[in-house]
Structures are given as structure tokens and as C-alpha cells.
Amino acid sequence: GQQVMQIPQYQHVQEGEDFTTYCNSSTTLSNIQWYKQRPGGHPVFLIQLVKSGEVKKQKRLTFQFGEAKKNSSLHITATQTTDVGTYFCAGRDTDKLIFGTGTRLQVFP
Amino acid sequence: KAGVTQTPRYLIKTRGQQVTLSCSPISGHRSVSWYQQTPGQGLQFLFEYFSETQRNKGNFPGRFSGRQFSNSRSEMNVSTLELGDSALYLCASSPPQGQLGNYGYTFGSGTRLTVV
């Protein structure tokens, strides 16, 4: 079945540094979604990318969908302590949404 | 509008028992998906229901089952509980395909199940 891997598994950064997580699927995706889960919380939907090569921005967050629609990335510029949490990508396999392994971000003030 | 409601929030059960978890989706959402989250395995897809029909199923044993009612509320049941079933069980609702737009899945706060 479809597998969605994310790297790195963990990332510790100093506040103000940039952060990037990468998502790779074993199959071509119709779309990709990104979620953030704060410690002790539940995943919260951030964004969905649909088109090949698509780039979307949300303030300090930049999301990119690969040309082959098999990979994606999330880049955070100048991290803040409020960015702490686990970031998941999720790709749609037919009708079910398969979540990536997640990248846990820790930001030190 | 109200979010996704999961009950109970916490549950402690003994090995061999069974458990039923409940999920009420956002009003108007007819699709409900269930996920198991553990520290080592991340978010694992259990099943998805749409209009009272199971549309997809993940790779879990038959001890895990679910159903959806006509009001879109969903329940999942785990029979003959094992220690390894201890996890956070998350339910997510989504609007019908074609209306997904940029809305994604809305998750409930989850039910934390501990099997002792």
C-alpha cells in the first residue's frame, strides 16, 4: 500500500532559525495536505496543495508540492516558540487519507 | 459551528474487555474517518465511513470494527482488548468529496484508551 515518509523525524532549532520538513510518497498523489499537532493536542489542518509544482504561503510558512506530485515540503522562516509541535503531511490514496510519519519540531528560546 | 466531538476523553480498560468509542462529526459532514495514534507508529488509518457505509479499511485485525448511523455519528468498537491497543483514537470528519476545497479533515480531541 501507499507509504508516506517524512524527514527529519525530529528537529531542534533556536528561535529565529529556519525549519524545513520533507514528505515523500511511494505513489503519485492527487493532492497533499499538511497538519500541525501541538503537544497534547490533535492534528489541525493547515493547507491543501493540488497542482503539480504548486507553492502556497501562510505568513512564515511556505508549502510546496513537487512536480511529480510525489513529494512536498513545508518551510518555516524565523521559527517562534509557538511553532512547536509535530507537522504531518497527508496524501490521498484513492479515498483514504494516509498520514506521513511526522516531524517533531522543538524551538528553544 | 460545533466541532467534532469524541466521547469519552479517557478510558481505562482491562485486557480481554471490549470498548466502544463515539464520534459526532461536524453538522453536514457525512464522512467520518478513524485513526489510531501511538508514539511509535504515528497516525494509522483504521476505517472511513460515508453515509452509513464503510468505504475504506486499514490494516487492523477484525477486533476493530465500526459503524455509522443515519445522523452521521460514528462508533468504533474494539473487542478482546490487548495491551498494544493502548493509544489515542482520533476521529475526523470531512465534507463530501468535491466540496473538500481547502477545508481538510477536522479532528476531534480524541479518546485516550489505556489497556491494563
Side-chain angles (χ1 to χ4, degrees), chain A residues 31 33 35 37 41-48 56 58 88 92-101, chain B residues 9 35 37 42-43 45 48 55-58 88 90 94 97 100-110:
Chain A
N31 61 59
Q33 299 179 358
Y35 292 78
Q37 184 174 21
H42 55 274
V44 173
F45 175 72
L46 294 176
I47 206 162
Q48 175 174 280
K56 286 188 176 181
Q58 285 181 352
F88 293 95
R92 191 165 291 280
D93 177 13
T94 56
D95 288 329
K96 56 183 185 280
L97 198 62
I98 304 299
F99 279 77
T101 47
Chain B
R9 287 294 307 276
Y35 290 84
Q37 186 172 34
L43 278 156
F45 174 76
E48 180 186 13
R55 192 158 63 174
N56 283 292
K57 191 178 190 308
L88 179 67
L90 291 160
S94 60
Q97 287 286 337
L100 193 60
N102 200 34
Y103 300 114
Y105 279 21
T106 302
F107 281 85
S109 298

mmCIF file of all heavy atoms in Angstrom, chain A residues 31 33 35 37 41-48 56 58 88 92-101, chain B residues 9 35 37 42-43 45 48 55-58 88 90 94 97 100-110:
data_model
loop_
_atom_site.group_PDB
_atom_site.id
_atom_site.type_symbol
_atom_site.label_atom_id
_atom_site.label_comp_id
_atom_site.label_asym_id
_atom_site.label_seq_id
_atom_site.Cartn_x
_atom_site.Cartn_y
_atom_site.Cartn_z
ATOM 1 N N ASN A 31 -3.546 14.925 -4.233
ATOM 2 C CA ASN A 31 -3.318 16.174 -3.508
ATOM 3 C C ASN A 31 -2.566 15.855 -2.234
ATOM 4 O O ASN A 31 -2.405 14.672 -1.880
ATOM 5 C CB ASN A 31 -4.635 16.897 -3.196
ATOM 6 C CG ASN A 31 -5.563 16.092 -2.331
ATOM 7 O OD1 ASN A 31 -5.222 15.711 -1.218
ATOM 8 N ND2 ASN A 31 -6.764 15.832 -2.822
ATOM 9 N N GLN A 33 -2.021 17.265 1.913
ATOM 10 C CA GLN A 33 -2.442 18.167 2.970
ATOM 11 C C GLN A 33 -1.369 18.206 4.056
ATOM 12 O O GLN A 33 -0.597 17.261 4.208
ATOM 13 C CB GLN A 33 -3.767 17.683 3.577
ATOM 14 C CG GLN A 33 -4.908 17.643 2.581
ATOM 15 C CD GLN A 33 -6.207 17.150 3.178
ATOM 16 O OE1 GLN A 33 -6.279 16.794 4.352
ATOM 17 N NE2 GLN A 33 -7.265 17.154 2.389
ATOM 18 N N TYR A 35 -0.808 19.124 8.276
ATOM 19 C CA TYR A 35 -1.447 19.298 9.565
ATOM 20 C C TYR A 35 -0.385 19.597 10.613
ATOM 21 O O TYR A 35 0.766 19.176 10.503
ATOM 22 C CB TYR A 35 -2.190 18.027 9.976
ATOM 23 C CG TYR A 35 -3.399 17.713 9.125
ATOM 24 C CD1 TYR A 35 -3.253 17.150 7.867
ATOM 25 C CD2 TYR A 35 -4.682 17.977 9.585
ATOM 26 C CE1 TYR A 35 -4.356 16.875 7.075
ATOM 27 C CE2 TYR A 35 -5.795 17.695 8.810
ATOM 28 C CZ TYR A 35 -5.621 17.149 7.556
ATOM 29 O OH TYR A 35 -6.727 16.867 6.781
ATOM 30 N N GLN A 37 0.154 19.327 14.881
ATOM 31 C CA GLN A 37 -0.374 18.809 16.136
ATOM 32 C C GLN A 37 0.481 19.342 17.271
ATOM 33 O O GLN A 37 1.665 19.012 17.380
ATOM 34 C CB GLN A 37 -0.373 17.272 16.139
ATOM 35 C CG GLN A 37 -1.004 16.665 17.374
ATOM 36 C CD GLN A 37 -1.119 15.147 17.270
ATOM 37 O OE1 GLN A 37 -0.423 14.499 16.491
ATOM 38 N NE2 GLN A 37 -2.001 14.552 18.049
ATOM 39 N N GLY A 41 -2.309 17.795 21.900
ATOM 40 C CA GLY A 41 -3.483 18.191 21.112
ATOM 41 C C GLY A 41 -3.800 17.223 20.002
ATOM 42 O O GLY A 41 -3.302 16.093 19.988
ATOM 43 N N HIS A 42 -4.626 17.663 19.079
ATOM 44 C CA HIS A 42 -4.992 16.838 17.947
ATOM 45 C C HIS A 42 -4.543 17.535 16.674
ATOM 46 O O HIS A 42 -4.294 18.746 16.671
ATOM 47 C CB HIS A 42 -6.505 16.601 17.922
ATOM 48 C CG HIS A 42 -7.315 17.859 17.945
ATOM 49 N ND1 HIS A 42 -7.671 18.499 19.107
ATOM 50 C CD2 HIS A 42 -7.816 18.611 16.940
ATOM 51 C CE1 HIS A 42 -8.372 19.569 18.812
ATOM 52 N NE2 HIS A 42 -8.470 19.677 17.514
ATOM 53 N N PRO A 43 -4.416 16.792 15.569
ATOM 54 C CA PRO A 43 -3.983 17.423 14.316
ATOM 55 C C PRO A 43 -4.949 18.499 13.867
ATOM 56 O O PRO A 43 -6.171 18.323 13.928
ATOM 57 C CB PRO A 43 -3.942 16.258 13.334
ATOM 58 C CG PRO A 43 -3.814 15.040 14.177
ATOM 59 C CD PRO A 43 -4.574 15.338 15.426
ATOM 60 N N VAL A 44 -4.376 19.605 13.398
ATOM 61 C CA VAL A 44 -5.169 20.713 12.884
ATOM 62 C C VAL A 44 -4.759 20.967 11.444
ATOM 63 O O VAL A 44 -3.567 21.090 11.144
ATOM 64 C CB VAL A 44 -4.969 21.985 13.733
ATOM 65 C CG1 VAL A 44 -5.678 23.175 13.090
ATOM 66 C CG2 VAL A 44 -5.476 21.772 15.151
ATOM 67 N N PHE A 45 -5.725 21.031 10.567
ATOM 68 C CA PHE A 45 -5.485 21.220 9.145
ATOM 69 C C PHE A 45 -4.848 22.580 8.872
ATOM 70 O O PHE A 45 -5.286 23.611 9.396
ATOM 71 C CB PHE A 45 -6.819 21.110 8.402
ATOM 72 C CG PHE A 45 -6.744 21.414 6.927
ATOM 73 C CD1 PHE A 45 -6.140 20.527 6.059
ATOM 74 C CD2 PHE A 45 -7.301 22.587 6.429
ATOM 75 C CE1 PHE A 45 -6.090 20.804 4.695
ATOM 76 C CE2 PHE A 45 -7.257 22.865 5.076
ATOM 77 C CZ PHE A 45 -6.652 21.971 4.204
ATOM 78 N N LEU A 46 -3.769 22.571 8.069
ATOM 79 C CA LEU A 46 -3.106 23.808 7.704
ATOM 80 C C LEU A 46 -3.442 24.220 6.269
ATOM 81 O O LEU A 46 -3.853 25.356 6.021
ATOM 82 C CB LEU A 46 -1.586 23.657 7.826
ATOM 83 C CG LEU A 46 -1.027 23.447 9.240
ATOM 84 C CD1 LEU A 46 0.479 23.218 9.186
ATOM 85 C CD2 LEU A 46 -1.358 24.633 10.137
ATOM 86 N N ILE A 47 -3.240 23.277 5.323
ATOM 87 C CA ILE A 47 -3.377 23.657 3.927
ATOM 88 C C ILE A 47 -3.479 22.424 3.046
ATOM 89 O O ILE A 47 -3.114 21.317 3.474
ATOM 90 C CB ILE A 47 -2.165 24.507 3.491
ATOM 91 C CG1 ILE A 47 -2.507 25.442 2.338
ATOM 92 C CG2 ILE A 47 -0.969 23.617 3.141
ATOM 93 C CD1 ILE A 47 -1.514 26.570 2.178
ATOM 94 N N GLN A 48 -3.969 22.594 1.840
ATOM 95 C CA GLN A 48 -4.007 21.531 0.845
ATOM 96 C C GLN A 48 -3.387 22.040 -0.451
ATOM 97 O O GLN A 48 -3.655 23.160 -0.875
ATOM 98 C CB GLN A 48 -5.453 21.087 0.579
ATOM 99 C CG GLN A 48 -5.576 20.057 -0.541
ATOM 100 C CD GLN A 48 -6.977 19.528 -0.683
ATOM 101 O OE1 GLN A 48 -7.386 18.658 0.067
ATOM 102 N NE2 GLN A 48 -7.717 20.052 -1.645
ATOM 103 N N LYS A 56 2.381 27.503 -1.909
ATOM 104 C CA LYS A 56 1.453 28.355 -1.165
ATOM 105 C C LYS A 56 2.138 28.872 0.085
ATOM 106 O O LYS A 56 2.974 28.178 0.671
ATOM 107 C CB LYS A 56 0.194 27.576 -0.774
ATOM 108 C CG LYS A 56 -0.761 27.312 -1.921
ATOM 109 C CD LYS A 56 -2.053 26.723 -1.415
ATOM 110 C CE LYS A 56 -3.057 26.535 -2.537
ATOM 111 N NZ LYS A 56 -4.351 25.966 -2.045
ATOM 112 N N GLN A 58 1.628 30.833 3.937
ATOM 113 C CA GLN A 58 0.788 31.296 5.031
ATOM 114 C C GLN A 58 1.736 31.985 6.006
ATOM 115 O O GLN A 58 2.406 31.334 6.795
ATOM 116 C CB GLN A 58 0.102 30.128 5.748
ATOM 117 C CG GLN A 58 -1.047 29.498 5.014
ATOM 118 C CD GLN A 58 -1.677 28.360 5.819
ATOM 119 O OE1 GLN A 58 -1.164 27.942 6.857
ATOM 120 N NE2 GLN A 58 -2.796 27.841 5.347
ATOM 121 N N PHE A 88 2.585 17.019 10.161
ATOM 122 C CA PHE A 88 2.283 15.842 9.346
ATOM 123 C C PHE A 88 1.875 16.257 7.947
ATOM 124 O O PHE A 88 1.082 17.195 7.780
ATOM 125 C CB PHE A 88 1.103 15.055 9.929
ATOM 126 C CG PHE A 88 1.356 14.403 11.252
ATOM 127 C CD1 PHE A 88 0.999 15.021 12.432
ATOM 128 C CD2 PHE A 88 1.948 13.140 11.316
ATOM 129 C CE1 PHE A 88 1.216 14.420 13.658
ATOM 130 C CE2 PHE A 88 2.165 12.530 12.537
ATOM 131 C CZ PHE A 88 1.801 13.169 13.717
ATOM 132 N N ARG A 92 -3.576 11.524 -0.289
ATOM 133 C CA ARG A 92 -4.803 10.759 -0.514
ATOM 134 C C ARG A 92 -4.527 9.555 -1.416
ATOM 135 O O ARG A 92 -4.012 9.685 -2.521
ATOM 136 C CB ARG A 92 -5.863 11.644 -1.149
ATOM 137 C CG ARG A 92 -7.238 11.017 -1.178
ATOM 138 C CD ARG A 92 -8.302 12.053 -1.473
ATOM 139 N NE ARG A 92 -8.488 12.985 -0.382
ATOM 140 C CZ ARG A 92 -9.207 12.719 0.712
ATOM 141 N NH1 ARG A 92 -9.787 11.550 0.845
ATOM 142 N NH2 ARG A 92 -9.346 13.619 1.643
ATOM 143 N N ASP A 93 -4.855 8.373 -0.893
ATOM 144 C CA ASP A 93 -4.749 7.119 -1.639
ATOM 145 C C ASP A 93 -6.165 6.671 -1.927
ATOM 146 O O ASP A 93 -6.863 6.221 -1.023
ATOM 147 C CB ASP A 93 -4.003 6.077 -0.786
ATOM 148 C CG ASP A 93 -3.931 4.726 -1.473
ATOM 149 O OD1 ASP A 93 -4.228 4.650 -2.683
ATOM 150 O OD2 ASP A 93 -3.562 3.746 -0.808
ATOM 151 N N THR A 94 -6.583 6.811 -3.158
ATOM 152 C CA THR A 94 -7.995 6.643 -3.549
ATOM 153 C C THR A 94 -8.832 7.509 -2.616
ATOM 154 O O THR A 94 -8.767 8.722 -2.678
ATOM 155 C CB THR A 94 -8.453 5.175 -3.527
ATOM 156 O OG1 THR A 94 -8.218 4.610 -2.238
ATOM 157 C CG2 THR A 94 -7.682 4.374 -4.557
ATOM 158 N N ASP A 95 -9.591 6.905 -1.724
ATOM 159 C CA ASP A 95 -10.473 7.715 -0.886
ATOM 160 C C ASP A 95 -9.959 7.920 0.528
ATOM 161 O O ASP A 95 -10.548 8.682 1.285
ATOM 162 C CB ASP A 95 -11.861 7.076 -0.807
ATOM 163 C CG ASP A 95 -12.606 7.223 -2.113
ATOM 164 O OD1 ASP A 95 -12.373 8.227 -2.796
ATOM 165 O OD2 ASP A 95 -13.406 6.334 -2.444
ATOM 166 N N LYS A 96 -8.902 7.227 0.912
ATOM 167 C CA LYS A 96 -8.460 7.386 2.295
ATOM 168 C C LYS A 96 -7.220 8.272 2.368
ATOM 169 O O LYS A 96 -6.401 8.320 1.453
ATOM 170 C CB LYS A 96 -8.192 6.035 2.953
ATOM 171 C CG LYS A 96 -7.200 5.126 2.258
ATOM 172 C CD LYS A 96 -7.131 3.818 3.012
ATOM 173 C CE LYS A 96 -6.054 2.914 2.428
ATOM 174 N NZ LYS A 96 -6.491 2.226 1.230
ATOM 175 N N LEU A 97 -7.140 9.000 3.477
ATOM 176 C CA LEU A 97 -6.037 9.930 3.696
ATOM 177 C C LEU A 97 -4.972 9.229 4.535
ATOM 178 O O LEU A 97 -5.237 8.821 5.661
ATOM 179 C CB LEU A 97 -6.564 11.168 4.420
ATOM 180 C CG LEU A 97 -5.704 12.433 4.369
ATOM 181 C CD1 LEU A 97 -5.547 12.911 2.941
ATOM 182 C CD2 LEU A 97 -6.333 13.510 5.235
ATOM 183 N N ILE A 98 -3.781 9.090 3.970
ATOM 184 C CA ILE A 98 -2.678 8.421 4.639
ATOM 185 C C ILE A 98 -1.718 9.469 5.170
ATOM 186 O O ILE A 98 -1.216 10.300 4.399
ATOM 187 C CB ILE A 98 -1.936 7.467 3.687
ATOM 188 C CG1 ILE A 98 -2.909 6.452 3.091
ATOM 189 C CG2 ILE A 98 -0.784 6.772 4.407
ATOM 190 C CD1 ILE A 98 -3.589 5.566 4.107
ATOM 191 N N PHE A 99 -1.448 9.417 6.459
ATOM 192 C CA PHE A 99 -0.589 10.409 7.080
ATOM 193 C C PHE A 99 0.869 9.977 7.038
ATOM 194 O O PHE A 99 1.196 8.786 7.131
ATOM 195 C CB PHE A 99 -1.013 10.642 8.533
ATOM 196 C CG PHE A 99 -2.184 11.572 8.646
ATOM 197 C CD1 PHE A 99 -3.465 11.126 8.369
ATOM 198 C CD2 PHE A 99 -1.997 12.891 9.005
ATOM 199 C CE1 PHE A 99 -4.549 11.981 8.446
ATOM 200 C CE2 PHE A 99 -3.074 13.757 9.088
ATOM 201 C CZ PHE A 99 -4.352 13.305 8.812
ATOM 202 N N GLY A 100 1.723 10.971 6.887
ATOM 203 C CA GLY A 100 3.150 10.738 6.958
ATOM 204 C C GLY A 100 3.560 10.459 8.395
ATOM 205 O O GLY A 100 2.763 10.553 9.324
ATOM 206 N N THR A 101 4.835 10.142 8.547
ATOM 207 C CA THR A 101 5.358 9.753 9.853
ATOM 208 C C THR A 101 5.535 10.946 10.787
ATOM 209 O O THR A 101 5.697 10.756 11.985
ATOM 210 C CB THR A 101 6.694 9.034 9.665
ATOM 211 O OG1 THR A 101 7.513 9.785 8.751
ATOM 212 C CG2 THR A 101 6.480 7.643 9.082
ATOM 213 N N ARG B 9 -13.327 11.020 26.751
ATOM 214 C CA ARG B 9 -11.983 11.564 26.522
ATOM 215 C C ARG B 9 -10.912 10.593 26.992
ATOM 216 O O ARG B 9 -9.854 10.475 26.388
ATOM 217 C CB ARG B 9 -11.813 12.892 27.259
ATOM 218 C CG ARG B 9 -12.558 14.051 26.649
ATOM 219 C CD ARG B 9 -12.024 14.433 25.266
ATOM 220 N NE ARG B 9 -10.580 14.663 25.242
ATOM 221 C CZ ARG B 9 -9.997 15.801 25.566
ATOM 222 N NH1 ARG B 9 -10.723 16.843 25.959
ATOM 223 N NH2 ARG B 9 -8.675 15.928 25.489
ATOM 224 N N TYR B 35 -8.610 7.121 13.234
ATOM 225 C CA TYR B 35 -7.177 6.879 13.224
ATOM 226 C C TYR B 35 -6.726 6.459 14.624
ATOM 227 O O TYR B 35 -7.276 6.915 15.633
ATOM 228 C CB TYR B 35 -6.407 8.146 12.825
ATOM 229 C CG TYR B 35 -6.572 8.524 11.372
ATOM 230 C CD1 TYR B 35 -7.663 9.267 10.949
ATOM 231 C CD2 TYR B 35 -5.631 8.132 10.424
ATOM 232 C CE1 TYR B 35 -7.820 9.609 9.616
ATOM 233 C CE2 TYR B 35 -5.769 8.475 9.085
ATOM 234 C CZ TYR B 35 -6.874 9.212 8.697
ATOM 235 O OH TYR B 35 -7.024 9.543 7.374
ATOM 236 N N GLN B 37 -3.439 6.641 17.030
ATOM 237 C CA GLN B 37 -2.150 7.309 17.138
ATOM 238 C C GLN B 37 -1.370 6.775 18.340
ATOM 239 O O GLN B 37 -1.852 6.809 19.471
ATOM 240 C CB GLN B 37 -2.312 8.829 17.265
ATOM 241 C CG GLN B 37 -0.975 9.560 17.241
ATOM 242 C CD GLN B 37 -1.111 11.064 17.180
ATOM 243 O OE1 GLN B 37 -2.025 11.651 17.736
ATOM 244 N NE2 GLN B 37 -0.185 11.719 16.464
ATOM 245 N N GLY B 42 2.804 6.555 14.822
ATOM 246 C CA GLY B 42 2.183 7.718 14.203
ATOM 247 C C GLY B 42 0.686 7.550 14.055
ATOM 248 O O GLY B 42 0.035 6.876 14.851
ATOM 249 N N LEU B 43 0.137 8.148 13.014
ATOM 250 C CA LEU B 43 -1.298 8.104 12.758
ATOM 251 C C LEU B 43 -1.605 6.978 11.782
ATOM 252 O O LEU B 43 -1.258 7.045 10.617
ATOM 253 C CB LEU B 43 -1.765 9.429 12.150
ATOM 254 C CG LEU B 43 -2.038 10.572 13.107
ATOM 255 C CD1 LEU B 43 -1.909 11.901 12.399
ATOM 256 C CD2 LEU B 43 -3.433 10.425 13.698
ATOM 257 N N PHE B 45 -4.395 4.675 9.827
ATOM 258 C CA PHE B 45 -5.783 4.705 9.372
ATOM 259 C C PHE B 45 -6.502 3.425 9.768
ATOM 260 O O PHE B 45 -6.019 2.319 9.509
ATOM 261 C CB PHE B 45 -5.791 4.868 7.854
ATOM 262 C CG PHE B 45 -7.139 4.764 7.224
ATOM 263 C CD1 PHE B 45 -8.040 5.813 7.313
ATOM 264 C CD2 PHE B 45 -7.516 3.610 6.540
ATOM 265 C CE1 PHE B 45 -9.293 5.724 6.728
ATOM 266 C CE2 PHE B 45 -8.760 3.516 5.947
ATOM 267 C CZ PHE B 45 -9.650 4.566 6.046
ATOM 268 N N GLU B 48 -12.981 4.337 7.289
ATOM 269 C CA GLU B 48 -13.719 5.524 6.919
ATOM 270 C C GLU B 48 -15.152 5.146 6.602
ATOM 271 O O GLU B 48 -15.388 4.135 5.926
ATOM 272 C CB GLU B 48 -13.093 6.213 5.699
ATOM 273 C CG GLU B 48 -13.855 7.481 5.279
ATOM 274 C CD GLU B 48 -13.324 8.082 3.991
ATOM 275 O OE1 GLU B 48 -12.549 7.426 3.291
ATOM 276 O OE2 GLU B 48 -13.718 9.236 3.691
ATOM 277 N N ARG B 55 -16.342 2.756 3.709
ATOM 278 C CA ARG B 55 -15.801 2.994 2.377
ATOM 279 C C ARG B 55 -14.371 2.486 2.243
ATOM 280 O O ARG B 55 -13.942 2.089 1.166
ATOM 281 C CB ARG B 55 -15.878 4.476 2.067
ATOM 282 C CG ARG B 55 -15.630 4.838 0.632
ATOM 283 C CD ARG B 55 -16.221 6.176 0.262
ATOM 284 N NE ARG B 55 -15.629 7.278 0.994
ATOM 285 C CZ ARG B 55 -15.914 8.549 0.737
ATOM 286 N NH1 ARG B 55 -16.757 8.856 -0.228
ATOM 287 N NH2 ARG B 55 -15.381 9.520 1.449
ATOM 288 N N ASN B 56 -13.620 2.533 3.328
ATOM 289 C CA ASN B 56 -12.237 2.091 3.311
ATOM 290 C C ASN B 56 -11.883 1.493 4.660
ATOM 291 O O ASN B 56 -12.467 1.870 5.684
ATOM 292 C CB ASN B 56 -11.283 3.271 3.049
ATOM 293 C CG ASN B 56 -11.274 3.675 1.602
ATOM 294 O OD1 ASN B 56 -10.809 2.943 0.744
ATOM 295 N ND2 ASN B 56 -11.803 4.846 1.325
ATOM 296 N N LYS B 57 -10.921 0.592 4.643
ATOM 297 C CA LYS B 57 -10.483 -0.047 5.879
ATOM 298 C C LYS B 57 -8.972 -0.143 5.867
ATOM 299 O O LYS B 57 -8.370 -0.479 4.844
ATOM 300 C CB LYS B 57 -11.116 -1.434 5.995
ATOM 301 C CG LYS B 57 -10.950 -2.074 7.352
ATOM 302 C CD LYS B 57 -11.658 -3.417 7.399
ATOM 303 C CE LYS B 57 -11.736 -3.982 8.814
ATOM 304 N NZ LYS B 57 -10.455 -4.045 9.509
ATOM 305 N N GLY B 58 -8.367 0.117 7.010
ATOM 306 C CA GLY B 58 -6.920 -0.006 7.132
ATOM 307 C C GLY B 58 -6.529 -1.426 7.511
ATOM 308 O O GLY B 58 -7.351 -2.342 7.524
ATOM 309 N N LEU B 88 -4.141 6.790 21.428
ATOM 310 C CA LEU B 88 -5.100 7.874 21.249
ATOM 311 C C LEU B 88 -5.889 7.558 19.990
ATOM 312 O O LEU B 88 -5.307 7.373 18.919
ATOM 313 C CB LEU B 88 -4.377 9.216 21.105
ATOM 314 C CG LEU B 88 -5.262 10.453 20.888
ATOM 315 C CD1 LEU B 88 -6.106 10.732 22.131
ATOM 316 C CD2 LEU B 88 -4.402 11.668 20.547
ATOM 317 N N LEU B 90 -8.404 8.852 17.284
ATOM 318 C CA LEU B 90 -8.873 10.120 16.735
ATOM 319 C C LEU B 90 -9.913 9.893 15.665
ATOM 320 O O LEU B 90 -9.785 8.994 14.833
ATOM 321 C CB LEU B 90 -7.692 10.895 16.133
ATOM 322 C CG LEU B 90 -6.663 11.438 17.121
ATOM 323 C CD1 LEU B 90 -5.351 11.741 16.419
ATOM 324 C CD2 LEU B 90 -7.199 12.693 17.802
ATOM 325 N N SER B 94 -15.078 15.144 7.440
ATOM 326 C CA SER B 94 -14.768 15.966 6.278
ATOM 327 C C SER B 94 -16.020 16.152 5.443
ATOM 328 O O SER B 94 -16.914 15.306 5.469
ATOM 329 C CB SER B 94 -13.658 15.321 5.446
ATOM 330 O OG SER B 94 -14.049 14.046 4.989
ATOM 331 N N GLN B 97 -16.689 14.706 -0.919
ATOM 332 C CA GLN B 97 -15.742 14.932 -1.995
ATOM 333 C C GLN B 97 -16.336 15.912 -2.981
ATOM 334 O O GLN B 97 -17.502 15.865 -3.303
ATOM 335 C CB GLN B 97 -15.448 13.612 -2.726
ATOM 336 C CG GLN B 97 -14.580 12.660 -1.946
ATOM 337 C CD GLN B 97 -13.137 13.099 -1.903
ATOM 338 O OE1 GLN B 97 -12.679 13.844 -2.753
ATOM 339 N NE2 GLN B 97 -12.418 12.677 -0.880
ATOM 340 N N LEU B 100 -14.429 19.442 -0.818
ATOM 341 C CA LEU B 100 -13.300 19.460 0.113
ATOM 342 C C LEU B 100 -12.607 20.806 0.093
ATOM 343 O O LEU B 100 -12.227 21.336 1.120
ATOM 344 C CB LEU B 100 -12.321 18.338 -0.236
ATOM 345 C CG LEU B 100 -11.259 18.049 0.824
ATOM 346 C CD1 LEU B 100 -11.907 17.652 2.123
ATOM 347 C CD2 LEU B 100 -10.341 16.943 0.338
ATOM 348 N N GLY B 101 -12.490 21.350 -1.129
ATOM 349 C CA GLY B 101 -11.894 22.671 -1.209
ATOM 350 C C GLY B 101 -10.607 22.737 -0.449
ATOM 351 O O GLY B 101 -9.717 21.929 -0.641
ATOM 352 N N ASN B 102 -10.495 23.682 0.444
ATOM 353 C CA ASN B 102 -9.305 23.831 1.245
ATOM 354 C C ASN B 102 -9.625 23.550 2.709
ATOM 355 O O ASN B 102 -9.014 24.104 3.596
ATOM 356 C CB ASN B 102 -8.759 25.240 1.084
ATOM 357 C CG ASN B 102 -7.299 25.328 1.473
ATOM 358 O OD1 ASN B 102 -6.539 24.394 1.268
ATOM 359 N ND2 ASN B 102 -6.915 26.448 2.028
ATOM 360 N N TYR B 103 -10.622 22.705 2.954
ATOM 361 C CA TYR B 103 -11.052 22.514 4.323
ATOM 362 C C TYR B 103 -10.344 21.380 5.047
ATOM 363 O O TYR B 103 -10.166 21.421 6.243
ATOM 364 C CB TYR B 103 -12.567 22.267 4.361
ATOM 365 C CG TYR B 103 -13.359 23.414 3.784
ATOM 366 C CD1 TYR B 103 -14.083 23.258 2.621
ATOM 367 C CD2 TYR B 103 -13.341 24.649 4.399
ATOM 368 C CE1 TYR B 103 -14.789 24.315 2.074
ATOM 369 C CE2 TYR B 103 -14.050 25.711 3.860
ATOM 370 C CZ TYR B 103 -14.776 25.535 2.705
ATOM 371 O OH TYR B 103 -15.478 26.574 2.170
ATOM 372 N N GLY B 104 -9.944 20.364 4.354
ATOM 373 C CA GLY B 104 -9.257 19.270 5.001
ATOM 374 C C GLY B 104 -10.112 18.539 6.001
ATOM 375 O O GLY B 104 -11.330 18.666 6.023
ATOM 376 N N TYR B 105 -9.460 17.758 6.839
ATOM 377 C CA TYR B 105 -10.138 16.999 7.874
ATOM 378 C C TYR B 105 -10.175 17.822 9.150
ATOM 379 O O TYR B 105 -9.204 18.504 9.486
ATOM 380 C CB TYR B 105 -9.383 15.698 8.163
ATOM 381 C CG TYR B 105 -9.642 14.562 7.207
ATOM 382 C CD1 TYR B 105 -10.137 14.770 5.934
ATOM 383 C CD2 TYR B 105 -9.374 13.255 7.581
ATOM 384 C CE1 TYR B 105 -10.355 13.724 5.063
ATOM 385 C CE2 TYR B 105 -9.591 12.196 6.723
ATOM 386 C CZ TYR B 105 -10.087 12.437 5.465
ATOM 387 O OH TYR B 105 -10.304 11.384 4.617
ATOM 388 N N THR B 106 -11.279 17.715 9.876
ATOM 389 C CA THR B 106 -11.356 18.304 11.198
ATOM 390 C C THR B 106 -11.356 17.180 12.216
ATOM 391 O O THR B 106 -12.238 16.316 12.177
ATOM 392 C CB THR B 106 -12.638 19.140 11.363
ATOM 393 O OG1 THR B 106 -12.654 20.167 10.365
ATOM 394 C CG2 THR B 106 -12.663 19.789 12.741
ATOM 395 N N PHE B 107 -10.376 17.205 13.078
ATOM 396 C CA PHE B 107 -10.233 16.138 14.071
ATOM 397 C C PHE B 107 -10.909 16.496 15.381
ATOM 398 O O PHE B 107 -10.972 17.672 15.771
ATOM 399 C CB PHE B 107 -8.753 15.877 14.360
ATOM 400 C CG PHE B 107 -8.062 15.044 13.316
ATOM 401 C CD1 PHE B 107 -7.537 15.634 12.177
ATOM 402 C CD2 PHE B 107 -7.944 13.673 13.467
ATOM 403 C CE1 PHE B 107 -6.906 14.874 11.205
ATOM 404 C CE2 PHE B 107 -7.311 12.901 12.498
ATOM 405 C CZ PHE B 107 -6.804 13.510 11.369
ATOM 406 N N GLY B 108 -11.384 15.453 16.061
ATOM 407 C CA GLY B 108 -11.827 15.616 17.424
ATOM 408 C C GLY B 108 -10.625 15.580 18.357
ATOM 409 O O GLY B 108 -9.487 15.368 17.915
ATOM 410 N N SER B 109 -10.879 15.781 19.641
ATOM 411 C CA SER B 109 -9.791 15.794 20.625
ATOM 412 C C SER B 109 -9.281 14.398 20.950
ATOM 413 O O SER B 109 -8.249 14.254 21.586
ATOM 414 C CB SER B 109 -10.251 16.482 21.906
ATOM 415 O OG SER B 109 -10.584 17.829 21.642
ATOM 416 N N GLY B 110 -10.037 13.389 20.509
ATOM 417 C CA GLY B 110 -9.569 12.023 20.685
ATOM 418 C C GLY B 110 -10.036 11.366 21.976
ATOM 419 O O GLY B 110 -10.472 12.025 22.921
#
